[in-house]
Amino acid sequence: MKTAKLFKRSGCGLEERLVWQCASLLLSYPDHSRFDIAERLLAHVDGSAAERLSRTLAALRAVDSLRAAQDYVATFDLRRRATMYLTYWTAGDTRNRGNAMLAFAQVYRAAGTTPPDDEAPDHLPVVLEFAAVVAPEAGFRLLTDHRVPIEVLHRALREADSPYADTVVAVLATLPAATDTDVLRARKLAADGPPAEAVGLQPFTLTVPPRRTQGGS
């Protein structure tokens, strides 16, 4: 009972965790096995979140696998404004970005899990799955702290009329409401882009956005 009350106060209840897991699956590289899992989870999600996630799922199922993969790459890997690497918007191509990603990895390790080997720790689907199934409280804090980058992502997807926009809205709805400062920061980032500095990003050496070969994960 105490745990349930804690989740309710912090926004980490079962409903939110189901939304995060569904969103993680739908925002990952298209794969029909992921779609099947998301569809099963959606049977337990209610309200506007279910409607939004279902719209994304239906749009992804409506095209063949090759088209879905091409659309994914064009949406997330070829458009900087739609990158799902959250620290890109807070640190840009600066020396601070390596430290920012390291902070994500440290949160994962503190929760008893290992950061993924095949993806950066600040990749939104990774963060969502961490929040959903590993450490809801810690994951909720990461998502809340990066609400502005998620809002920038949503703006880019909405302007591109992307079916993924509905899923990002469902995620945003699980977080505290945006403040006036959040709104202004999101607008400024969308207009001006992230900080820039031509230095290495040790210990991570990602380009932004990192290109993904079709058929990869």
Side-chain angles (χ1 to χ4, degrees):
M1 182 63 70
K2 288 183 179 179
T3 301
K5 289 181 179 178
L6 177 62
F7 280 161
K8 186 174 182 180
R9 288 197 303 271
S10 65
C12 303
L14 179 59
E15 179 82 7
E16 287 79 12
R17 294 170 68 180
L18 287 168
V19 169
W20 296 336
Q21 183 63 75
C22 286
S24 175
L25 293 164
L26 294 175
L27 293 173
S28 295
Y29 194 84
D31 179 270
H32 282 284
S33 63
R34 290 192 180 111
F35 298 164
D36 292 342
I37 297 171
E39 187 169 20
R40 290 197 294 271
L41 291 173
L42 275 171
H44 305 283
V45 179
D46 299 318
S48 61
E51 294 174 8
R52 295 181 188 282
L53 294 166
S54 294
R55 282 200 291 266
T56 300
L57 179 60
L60 294 176
R61 284 197 181 281
V63 297
D64 61 42
S65 298
L66 178 59
R67 174 63 184 277
Q70 290 172 335
D71 288 347
Y72 187 89
V73 171
T75 299
F76 296 113
D77 291 357
L78 301 181
R79 290 192 182 117
R80 283 178 176 249
R81 290 186 62 207
T83 182
M84 288 193 284
Y85 293 90
L86 301 180
T87 63
Y88 173 67
W89 291 107
T90 57
D93 288 328
T94 74
R95 71 191 70 193
N96 293 328
R97 186 159 179 240
N99 290 332
M101 284 193 286
L102 182 59
F104 275 80
Q106 290 171 336
V107 172
Y108 297 162
R109 293 190 182 98
T113 192
T114 303
D117 293 329
D118 57 350
E119 191 54 272
D122 65 330
H123 193 234
L124 181 56
V126 173
V127 182
L128 288 167
E129 185 166 40
F130 172 75
V133 302
V134 178
E137 293 288 337
F140 177 73
R141 285 192 295 272
L142 285 175
L143 292 168
T144 300
D145 289 347
H146 293 81
R147 193 191 197 288
V148 170
I150 298 171
E151 179 64 41
V152 175
L153 169 63
H154 169 247
R155 287 170 180 264
L157 295 174
R158 183 185 62 196
E159 290 173 7
D161 196 25
S162 169
Y164 291 106
D166 278 313
T167 289
V168 177
V169 170
V171 171
L172 286 169
T174 67
L175 306 179
T179 64
D180 291 342
T181 300
D182 290 338
V183 173
L184 291 174
R185 284 181 60 206
R187 287 177 182 170
K188 182 173 177 58
L189 279 173
D192 300 340
E197 181 180 53
V199 298
L201 299 178
Q202 297 299 327
F204 301 96
T205 55
L206 293 173
T207 56
V208 180
R211 297 201 176 190
R212 183 181 282 100
T213 58
Q214 292 181 13
S217 59

